[in-house]
Amino acid sequence: MLRVAVPNKGSLSEAATEILAEAGYRQRRTTKDLSLTDPDNGVEFYYLRPRDIAVYVGEGTLDVGISGRDLVLDSHAAAETILELGFGGSTFRFAGRPGVARSVKDLEGKRIATSFAGILSDHLAENGVKASVVKLDGAVESAVQLGVADVIADVVETGTTLRQAGLEVFGDPILKSEAVLIKRHAVTLQPNGLEQLVRRLEGVLVARNYVMMDYDIRAEAVEAANAVAPGLESPTVSPLHREGWVAVRVMVPRAEAQRIMDQLWEIGGRAILTTDIHACRI
Ligand SMILES: Nc1ncnc2c1ncn2[C@@H]1O[C@H](COP(=O)(O)OP(=O)(O)OP(=O)(O)O)[C@@H](O)[C@H]1O
Ligand SMILES: O=P(O)(O)OC[C@H]1O[C@H](OP(=O)(O)OP(=O)(O)O)[C@H](O)[C@@H]1O
Ligand SMILES: [Mg+2]
């Protein structure tokens, strides 16, 4: 059986369970369950802290897992990304009281609080900056007000928490993160069921990110229309009963659907419809 680690709590937990359920796997009913077997798909799911998932997968105790890119890098575990999952997006950034520093270079000798000591230490070393790292478990934003640190390095999503603490980001983002599916470094033998898991998750991502677009157009305008909406491989073009007209079916990125509809209309597309893709294998 393929053994898969899934975040049990925190920001990634609900979305991870959701994407696996959408990919057709059984998922736990209550947040108290520690593991769950899906015999029909030959998979066992283990619900663990996302920070620990990199360790289990890196050690080879579990085959694959879902975690955050930042947590994986921070752990220095021997794990690598197989697939980016498009949720749990965040940036890892420096923040402090307004004017305290402008870049990492200003942090020599300062005290920096973080719950990602691995990433922070690596970043300081890369920039040749010596500072003291204050490792905290959470609520890092309070560290400056409470006097335990001069600045912080923390996960920023909307920026609300920083604002509430009277802090501002400074310097370049240290890291951009999102949820990722990981496996152990350098395993050549693919465990049974992994290829199926990846293909199913890719299918969910495509179904989420693309819509199906149908429209009618005069045959001589098809080339111009294909330039606007080329599809993943090539659009399907079928003859219409009406002389000189064809029906076109093509996948387009969901985020660009309205712009593409406007452009197709301009070059003569009519009866332009979009429909959601429920599931797919590409
Ligand atoms: N608003 C957010 N807050 C924290 N982590 C976030 C946020 N948005 C995305 N993430 C990502 O979620 C992962 C952190 O998940 P984790 O479960 O450890 O923390 P959490 O959501 O802060 O939960 P907890 O409060 O239990 O620490 C990281 O990969 C982080 O980049
Ligand atoms: O930019 P925002 O949208 O405000 O989100 C980022 C904040 O959310 C997380 O904290 P969380 O609530 O998980 O508490 P924690 O720091 O104790 O983990 C994270 O550590 C930041 O503090
Ligand atoms: Mg947190």
Side-chain angles (χ1 to χ4, degrees), residues 56-168:
Y56 284 99
V57 172
E59 292 289 325
T61 320
L62 297 173
D63 297 310
V64 291
I66 294 176
S67 185
R69 180 185 295 120
D70 47 7
L71 295 169
V72 178
L73 292 173
D74 193 64
S75 73
H76 291 148
E80 65 192 27
T81 295
I82 313 176
L83 186 66
E84 295 177 337
L85 297 172
F87 62 85
S90 71
T91 53
F92 187 66
R93 304 205 60 158
F94 287 118
R97 290 212 170 101
V100 67
R102 274 192 311 201
S103 86
V104 60
K105 302 285 181 199
D106 301 334
L107 297 179
E108 188 72 30
K110 294 248 187 314
R111 299 165 304 158
I112 313 170
T114 190
S115 38
F116 289 80
I119 297 178
L120 176 59
S121 302
D122 292 348
H123 186 72
L124 291 171
E126 272 164 32
N127 285 279
V129 172
K130 287 201 178 59
S132 97
V133 175
V134 181
K135 173 120 179 56
L136 299 176
D137 202 39
V140 173
E141 292 83 356
S142 300
V144 173
Q145 196 193 349
L146 294 175
V148 82
D150 306 305
V151 301
I152 64 166
D154 198 16
V155 170
V156 182
E157 192 199 359
T158 61
T160 315
T161 316
L162 285 185
R163 268 194 301 280
Q164 278 173 357
L167 305 179
E168 283 177 5

Side-chain angles (χ1 to χ4, degrees), residues 1 24-27 36-45 200:
M1 284 229 181
Y25 294 98
R26 271 187 70 193
Q27 281 300 296
L36 175 134
T37 306
D38 179 346
D40 292 345
N41 290 305
V43 184
E44 272 168 3
F45 294 101
R200 285 189 183 194

Side-chain angles (χ1 to χ4, degrees), residues 74-272:
D74 193 64
S75 73
H76 291 148
E80 65 192 27
T81 295
I82 313 176
L83 186 66
E84 295 177 337
L85 297 172
F87 62 85
S90 71
T91 53
F92 187 66
R93 304 205 60 158
F94 287 118
R97 290 212 170 101
V100 67
R102 274 192 311 201
S103 86
V104 60
K105 302 285 181 199
D106 301 334
L107 297 179
E108 188 72 30
K110 294 248 187 314
R111 299 165 304 158
I112 313 170
T114 190
S115 38
F116 289 80
I119 297 178
L120 176 59
S121 302
D122 292 348
H123 186 72
L124 291 171
E126 272 164 32
N127 285 279
V129 172
K130 287 201 178 59
S132 97
V133 175
V134 181
K135 173 120 179 56
L136 299 176
D137 202 39
V140 173
E141 292 83 356
S142 300
V144 173
Q145 196 193 349
L146 294 175
V148 82
D150 306 305
V151 301
I152 64 166
D154 198 16
V155 170
V156 182
E157 192 199 359
T158 61
T160 315
T161 316
L162 285 185
R163 268 194 301 280
Q164 278 173 357
L167 305 179
E168 283 177 5
V169 296
F170 64 83
D172 295 330
I174 303 166
L175 184 79
K176 275 196 185 339
S177 184
E178 70 178 297
V180 288
L181 181 72
I182 53 167
K183 71 170 177 69
R184 192 182 189 188
H185 264 323
V187 277
T188 40
L189 201 67
Q190 285 256 66
N192 273 343
L194 177 55
E195 211 182 303
Q196 185 193 67
L197 173 70
V198 172
R199 217 180 300 126
R200 285 189 183 194
L201 290 173
E202 280 171 347
V204 172
L205 294 177
V206 171
R208 284 181 179 179
N209 294 330
Y210 285 80
V211 291
M212 190 58 84
M213 190 168 286
D214 288 281
Y215 58 93
D216 299 340
I217 199 163
R218 291 195 62 84
E220 62 267 22
V222 166
E223 285 309 318
N226 284 356
V228 171
L232 288 191
E233 282 180 6
S234 172
T236 308
V237 180
S238 329
L240 281 184
H241 183 63
R242 190 171 162 194
E243 189 72 25
W245 282 72
V246 292
V248 183
R249 168 154 260 225
V250 65
M251 281 166 75
V252 304
R254 185 182 291 278
E256 292 168 34
Q258 290 294 337
R259 180 183 59 76
I260 290 174
M261 286 169 97
D262 291 338
Q263 289 182 347
L264 289 176
W265 180 272
E266 287 297 320
I267 55 178
R270 291 296 177 267
I272 310 170

Side-chain angles (χ1 to χ4, degrees), residues 9-28:
K9 292 181 190 160
S11 302
L12 306 179
S13 159
E14 223 182 283
T17 303
E18 218 172 270
I19 198 169
L20 289 166
E22 218 172 310
Y25 294 98
R26 271 187 70 193
Q27 281 300 296
R28 62 179 185 173

